[in-house]
Amino acid sequence: MYDFEYGLLLNLVCYVPLIGALVIVFLVNKENKQAIKLVATLTAAIDFVISLPLWFLYKTDGAEFQFATQMDWIPSVGVQYLFGVDGFSILLILLTTLLGLISIYSSYTAITEREKEYYVFLLLLQVGMIGVFCSLDFILFYVFWEVMLVPMYFLIGVWGGPRKLYAAIKFFLYTLVGSVLMLVGILALYFYNAEGMAAIGLPGLGNVATFEVPVLYEIAFQIPPELQFWVFLAFFVGFAIKVPMFPFHTWLPDAHVEAPTAGSVILAGVLLKMGTYGFIRFSLPLLPDATLKAAPWVAGLSLFAIVYGALVAMAQKDMKKLVAYSSVSHMGFVMLGMFALNDPGLRGSILQMLNHGVSTGALFLLVGLVYERRHNRMIAEYGGIAKVMPLYAVFFLIITMSSIGLPTLNGFIGEFLILIGAFRAHWWWALIAASGIVLGAGYMLWMYQRVFFGELSNEKNKNLKDLNLREQWTIIPLIILAFWIGLYPKPFFRMMEPTVDRLMTRVEAVMPVEEAVAPHAQPAAEEEHHAEEDEAAHEE
């Protein structure tokens, strides 16, 4: 179940930002702004470097959770300190450490007030996000999930735009409501596994009381359909708010628009993935029967979000708000692939989580860079700025093409697999989803044309400076990643393979036979390739 080798590594990745935050709080004077920035940047850089061995040391041929740490925390009720990851978690941890470093480095000139508190909150936010992806005990997961809300609340509420308090409170309340419902679902599983719930006449299984997620995986097929339904519903609201899915999405545009640039990057790149992470880590493997029954409804909401988000984005006059609504559409693709409940759909869904973090995170960075120069995000205020900011125009074009799914860039691979998965489930799902891709290309290219091409008529834009070296290095890593995933995605698929196989085994167990065979079947060429490998191994 667990591989405890290199268990210390995961704890270092999680808590190095906490050490950096404590150093800034207790050892750095708030007037020494250069030292604050240096410590925060070094901390984030060290954390990113420490996280890289997870990629190289992960054993892709094992189904167990790796880099594990396990010890009693609150033994009287079965709560443990339990860390462990699979390839899916590692991909999101690496995305988090990279975007954390970029967010801190990009804030040097954007934040000029209360810098000490700002960088402390950014580092604490990173602790919470990494902890969520590492936790294999439900209560530990819930603690990190809640801890993560506080830094983001202050980042929006203190360093945000004109309506920052409204956006911060709305973000906090939405997420808190979902969290409480999720906790109710966790407790229902906990009591059913142990003594049951006498108040509602539901006997338990009589097992040792535990919140250990892999242990609860083992009782998944013993959970009655009625209980699965209610637990799935509780989890669904909690995770759907975080994604956010329609109709729980209304907090997102406000939070994105009012947040500082780094806050928007983290929000789009990592925080939204916590909802989709929750579905894949908990809902699908723990509640397979409820997942199968809910799939058409969730897919319907996802399809609506794809088209609705694209249409609303097309009507926006503010660049940041346009990118924010595009997230609603893109995350609809992630959910559609996931609830197609087949192999290509799941692979595309996981990859698209990374793609969205890279592409949309970069878009928020780029919008933030021009906002620092003009303090204006309205599309109508620009036009022809490619003449004075040619390098910025090139970077923006690459990320725009990544966002709309141009082949050779990362967005294409994820969307292509999701469309295959959707088509295998129901052909008309793929048809509606494809219309969202067309609309996405429309609003992104229209924005690019209005901002960068045409006459440079606005006098305020004629003296805009192109990107400096620091600003270039906040975007270049994301461009490299976009081309890497687009040209050679095999290593990423290899990392997620054990997770996808585990999920498909559980979902197919509750599917009708005729549905279970087709989605997970391998193409003939791939089967032949594996047969040749087996024959070669036998000869050796």
Side-chain angles (χ1 to χ4, degrees), residues 247-479:
F248 306 105
H249 67 287
T250 56
W251 65 268
L252 179 67
D254 292 312
H256 267 319
V257 170
E258 301 305 323
T261 298
S264 294
V265 172
I266 293 295
L267 192 60
V270 184
L271 260 66
L272 303 190
K273 311 306 174 297
M274 291 187 176
T276 50
Y277 173 83
F279 279 113
I280 289 180
R281 175 65 73 231
F282 305 119
S283 298
L284 272 66
L286 274 169
L287 310 163
D289 186 70
T291 297
L292 185 64
K293 292 177 181 176
W297 299 96
V298 178
L301 289 174
S302 303
L303 290 168
F304 188 88
I306 289 170
V307 178
Y308 164 81
L311 289 174
V312 176
M314 192 172 288
Q316 298 307 311
K317 300 177 181 179
D318 183 319
M319 283 189 281
K320 200 171 185 184
K321 190 170 283 190
L322 183 149
V323 178
Y325 275 107
S326 77
S327 288
V328 176
S329 184
H330 287 303
M331 294 307 290
F333 273 100
V334 173
M335 292 300 297
L336 178 64
M338 189 187 307
F339 279 86
L341 299 181
N342 53 48
D343 189 89
L346 276 169
R347 290 177 190 272
S349 175
I350 293 173
L351 189 65
Q352 197 64 5
M353 291 183 209
L354 300 179
N355 294 338
H356 180 266
V358 171
S359 303
T360 307
L363 282 172
F364 278 118
L365 276 173
L366 289 163
V367 172
L369 290 173
V370 78
Y371 179 75
E372 284 185 43
R373 289 159 168 77
R374 279 289 322 275
H375 297 286
N376 195 308
R377 297 188 301 262
M378 304 307 291
I379 296 172
E381 283 288 314
Y382 295 92
I385 67 170
K387 295 181 176 66
V388 291
M389 301 180 72
L391 185 60
Y392 178 73
V394 171
F395 282 8
F396 208 116
L397 180 63
I398 293 171
I399 296 301
T400 296
M401 295 304 170
S402 165
S403 180
I404 65 179
L406 186 76
T408 72
L409 287 165
N410 57 335
F412 172 75
I413 303 295
E415 289 178 351
F416 178 65
L417 286 172
I418 289 169
L419 288 177
I420 291 176
F423 193 92
R424 283 187 176 181
H426 297 284
W427 66 267
W428 56 271
W429 288 7
L431 181 63
I432 296 174
S435 70
I437 295 176
V438 175
L439 291 171
Y443 64 72
M444 289 301 298
L445 292 174
W446 191 30
M447 177 184 71
Y448 189 86
Q449 181 266 326
R450 287 182 290 169
V451 171
F452 291 95
F453 296 151
E455 292 297 322
L456 189 63
S457 55
N458 192 329
E459 291 294 327
K460 297 177 181 178
N461 297 330
K462 292 184 177 179
N463 295 318
L464 290 177
K465 294 182 179 180
D466 209 350
L467 302 181
N468 59 41
L469 191 60
R470 178 186 61 83
E471 292 169 334
Q472 292 174 38
W473 279 109
T474 61
I475 305 296
I476 287 173
L478 298 178
I479 290 177

Side-chain angles (χ1 to χ4, degrees), residues 168-235:
I169 292 171
K170 191 174 182 180
F171 160 76
F172 194 91
L173 290 179
Y174 264 71
T175 310
L176 187 63
V177 169
S179 301
V180 171
L181 287 174
M182 181 177 68
L183 181 60
V184 172
I186 291 170
L187 292 175
L189 289 175
Y190 170 79
F191 284 112
Y192 177 74
N193 178 58
E195 70 265 26
M197 291 166 277
I200 60 173
L202 186 65
L205 296 177
N207 298 324
V208 176
T210 183
F211 289 97
E212 190 175 343
V213 175
V215 170
L216 294 175
Y217 280 174
E218 297 173 4
I219 68 160
F221 296 108
Q222 298 173 264
I223 303 173
E226 298 81 7
L227 181 59
Q228 282 202 35
F229 169 79
W230 290 110
V231 174
F232 181 91
L233 188 62
F235 282 1

